[in-house]
Amino acid sequence: MDMNDVKTRGLVLLGCGKMGSAMLAGWLRGGLPPEAVWVIDPKPSDWLQAQGVNLNAGLPPSPAILLVAVKPQMMDDALGAAEIDARTLVVSVAAGTLLARFEATFGADTPVVRAMPNTPAAVGRGITALIGNAAANDDHLALAEALLSAVGQTVRLESESQMDAVTAVSGSGPAYVFHLIETLAAAGEAEGLSPELAMQLARATVGGAGQLAEDADETPGQLRINVTSPNGTTQAALEVLMDAESGFPALLRRAVHAAAERSRELGRG
């Protein structure tokens, strides 16, 4: 199975919210014909209606791909609308929904890939972790990677149990960074900056530092050292932020653990 097979047999997208729309936009930019895509979404956006895809129409009986992008509470209704067989690859980006859930619906011989993308997918800068069930071979995983690379990087996991940690680090992680921007701007206001200037400085600083961390050969630790002059302003701040009990290390460890535990709870239903 490859992208030519997808063009011939079709791709069904269940749910086209922000993540589904980001993926669909990436596929269409990459050359997937709109007529090869079927989308089921109860409240299609104006953007979606203008894409020329098969929208809320009768589905092909055995599509190459069934991509599930609905919220977990809508899963039963969404899956009930799909007609697939063992030739269809099921790809799920639904948080907290285990591989076993899809095997119970479609059978253990159906190849299933579970994926966890994150919101920077909206600007093509996401990262998606993938894990397949026993029926998913390397070709299936490669096809899922090809689809999800339309919105950023992909990585393969060794076991499904790692998905909870991935959810806590990269899935929920953008929210931590957004909150950092909020609080950095608020701290700037407290030191006398206008709200507008503080926010502009915070946004550009976090965005630029993230790009530098991704592009540079040095590790983030070395980049931190590079901008920390002995007894300077950065060192004064880092002594607060790197405090073993009240700084970032302990705080983020607790935050990521809380998110991972919640992911495990959702997976248990």
Side-chain angles (χ1 to χ4, degrees), residues 198-244:
M199 182 57 72
Q200 183 179 359
L201 290 169
R203 277 178 162 165
T205 298
V206 173
Q211 187 70 62
L212 180 59
E214 190 162 7
D215 293 348
D217 292 332
E218 297 98 328
T219 65
Q222 185 60 51
L223 292 172
R224 169 181 53 79
I225 292 170
N226 292 349
V227 298
T228 307
S229 302
N231 299 316
T233 58
T234 306
Q235 181 175 324
L238 288 175
E239 286 176 356
V240 177
L241 294 175
M242 297 177 70
D243 183 89

Side-chain angles (χ1 to χ4, degrees), residues 23-148:
M23 292 187 294
L24 177 58
W27 302 333
L28 296 177
R29 282 196 306 270
L32 185 63
E35 60 270 20
V37 180
W38 280 256
V39 178
I40 301 297
D41 191 274
K43 297 180 180 179
S45 65
D46 292 341
W47 175 86
L48 175 58
Q49 294 180 61
Q51 298 311 302
V53 300
N54 302 285
L55 180 58
N56 294 325
L59 300 180
S62 178
I65 301 285
L66 173 67
L67 199 144
V68 184
V70 298
K71 296 184 183 301
Q73 58 267 32
M74 300 170 61
M75 189 67 66
D76 288 341
D77 290 341
L79 296 186
E83 296 182 22
I84 69 170
D85 56 31
R87 296 186 302 146
T88 299
L89 170 61
V90 177
V91 179
S92 169
V93 297
T97 305
L98 301 178
L99 292 168
R101 171 69 180 80
F102 297 98
E103 292 177 338
T105 300
F106 299 121
D109 60 340
T110 299
V112 183
V113 173
R114 182 182 172 192
M116 172 54 66
N118 60 3
T119 54
V123 292
R125 294 293 306 280
I127 186 165
T128 302
L130 305 101
I131 185 71
N133 68 348
N137 58 33
D138 283 342
D139 288 342
H140 293 125
L141 284 166
L143 179 56
E145 286 176 325
L147 287 170
L148 292 159

Side-chain angles (χ1 to χ4, degrees), residues 123-200:
V123 292
R125 294 293 306 280
I127 186 165
T128 302
L130 305 101
I131 185 71
N133 68 348
N137 58 33
D138 283 342
D139 288 342
H140 293 125
L141 284 166
L143 179 56
E145 286 176 325
L147 287 170
L148 292 159
S149 65
V151 293
Q153 302 177 49
T154 63
V155 294
R156 293 191 191 186
L157 303 183
E158 296 176 357
S159 68
E160 188 176 14
S161 63
Q162 293 178 307
M163 194 62 81
D164 299 307
V166 167
T167 300
V169 173
S170 61
S172 298
Y176 316 156
V177 178
F178 301 148
H179 188 50
L180 171 62
I181 295 172
E182 289 181 299
T183 54
L184 183 57
E189 284 186 60
E191 294 300 323
L193 298 176
S194 70
E196 296 78 13
L197 177 57
M199 182 57 72
Q200 183 179 359

